[in-house]
Amino acid sequence: MFPPSALRPSCLCRDIFRTRWGSAVATLSSNHGLGDDFALYLNVFDEEEQKILLAASLRKLDRTEDRHHRKRRKIFEATRAGKLSECLDVNGLFLPDRYYDFQKGHYDGVIKNYRETHVSTWPEDQPRLSELLDRLRRFHPEEPIQYHVLHLASDGEIHPHVDHLGAFGSWIVGVSLGADRILRLEKEISDRTLVHNMILPSGSVYVQKDSIRYEWRHSILHSGSVNGDEIKGGQRLSIMVRNRQPTLSS
């Protein structure tokens, strides 16, 4: 079962739900009237923790690319040696878009300008990495899991889609790192379309399951506005956790 404190947003959406992890304070955002199948938690990871997660994820992605791109990154990174530890913002860990081998389009046309990989093992030279990944366990059931890392370019986006139950299981937990982006959920009801837009800030965690995954189209917008807050793109990386599917290798 899902931990009640993690996945009962409908009874908590009028209150502030806070859980402390070190210096981070997780706040349950409103579930936007979407019931128990959706929750968005803010401030799950602080700035330094986000850098640890992002750096480890970028390393895994970088190792999947060809020698040409790895060499170009190595030369560029040499010019800013020693500066990474001084980054005041998690976005400073990203290199300019041209140093990554972003794919123009996914095989099913859903994702534009992206890199992705499945992760079965994480770097072992980051002492806190396991602790941070373990923090995500309170948001999902106790069952075998797999990690999927998705890196969007500054102009990358995910088009509206519903998930495939056989390929992805019934739930997904996602960590947002980097530029703020807009998550849009859409569903046709009778003669109208319901639309929910929400900003996914860096360090937040969202939970989607059941009806949200298979009845609502979801997308990540390149830019837009939510309640007067303008979002203008930028690189975003997400670490997604889902139940392990035997047909999907990592």
Side-chain angles (χ1 to χ4, degrees), residues 4 32 64-65 88 103 112 116 119 157 169 190:
H32 299 266
T64 68
E65 293 190 344
L88 298 179
Q103 304 301 301
K112 170 190 171 186
E116 67 177 344
V119 178
E157 58 188 348
S190 299

Side-chain angles (χ1 to χ4, degrees), residues 45-59 90 93 122-123 125-133 177 239:
F45 299 101
D46 65 26
E47 190 80 30
E48 292 305 312
E49 293 169 340
Q50 292 171 46
K51 290 180 186 178
I52 293 171
L53 291 169
L54 180 56
S57 299
L58 289 173
R59 283 175 60 184
V90 67
L93 292 181
W122 290 92
D125 56 355
Q126 285 284 355
R128 294 196 60 201
L129 184 58
S130 294
E131 166 203 335
L132 300 180
L133 293 171
L177 301 167
I239 301 173

Side-chain angles (χ1 to χ4, degrees), residues 118-161:
H118 296 290
V119 178
S120 55
T121 60
W122 290 92
E124 298 180 354
D125 56 355
Q126 285 284 355
R128 294 196 60 201
L129 184 58
S130 294
E131 166 203 335
L132 300 180
L133 293 171
D134 284 346
R135 186 177 300 172
L136 296 173
R137 293 185 180 277
R138 72 172 293 122
F139 298 108
H140 63 75
E142 290 294 331
E143 57 184 70
I145 61 173
Q146 60 188 13
Y147 295 98
H148 178 210
V149 174
L150 176 63
H151 180 191
L152 292 179
S154 296
D155 60 349
E157 58 188 348
I158 302 177
H159 299 302
H161 67 286

Side-chain angles (χ1 to χ4, degrees), residues 44-136:
V44 176
F45 299 101
D46 65 26
E47 190 80 30
E48 292 305 312
E49 293 169 340
Q50 292 171 46
K51 290 180 186 178
I52 293 171
L53 291 169
L54 180 56
S57 299
L58 289 173
R59 283 175 60 184
K60 296 297 292 188
L61 282 164
D62 290 349
R63 290 173 180 174
T64 68
E65 293 190 344
D66 60 36
R67 184 183 224 171
H68 170 70
H69 285 88
R70 293 198 304 268
K71 184 177 180 180
R72 290 186 69 228
R73 279 195 297 270
K74 186 175 180 179
I75 294 172
F76 178 80
E77 288 172 340
T79 67
R80 62 173 197 166
K83 295 180 180 179
L84 290 181
S85 61
E86 301 172 5
C87 289
L88 298 179
D89 188 282
V90 67
N91 290 288
L93 292 181
F94 291 113
L95 302 187
D97 283 32
R98 64 183 179 274
Y99 290 101
Y100 299 118
D101 186 19
F102 288 118
Q103 304 301 301
K104 297 301 181 183
H106 200 253
Y107 71 91
D108 57 8
V110 169
I111 314 176
K112 170 190 171 186
N113 293 344
Y114 72 100
R115 302 190 301 162
E116 67 177 344
T117 189
H118 296 290
V119 178
S120 55
T121 60
W122 290 92
E124 298 180 354
D125 56 355
Q126 285 284 355
R128 294 196 60 201
L129 184 58
S130 294
E131 166 203 335
L132 300 180
L133 293 171
D134 284 346
R135 186 177 300 172
L136 296 173

Side-chain angles (χ1 to χ4, degrees), residues 163 170-174 206-209 213 240-242:
D163 291 329
S170 62
W171 59 268
I172 190 168
V173 173
Y206 64 84
V207 180
Q208 296 180 6
K209 66 188 190 79
R213 303 198 64 202
M240 290 169 282
V241 188
R242 53 197 180 205

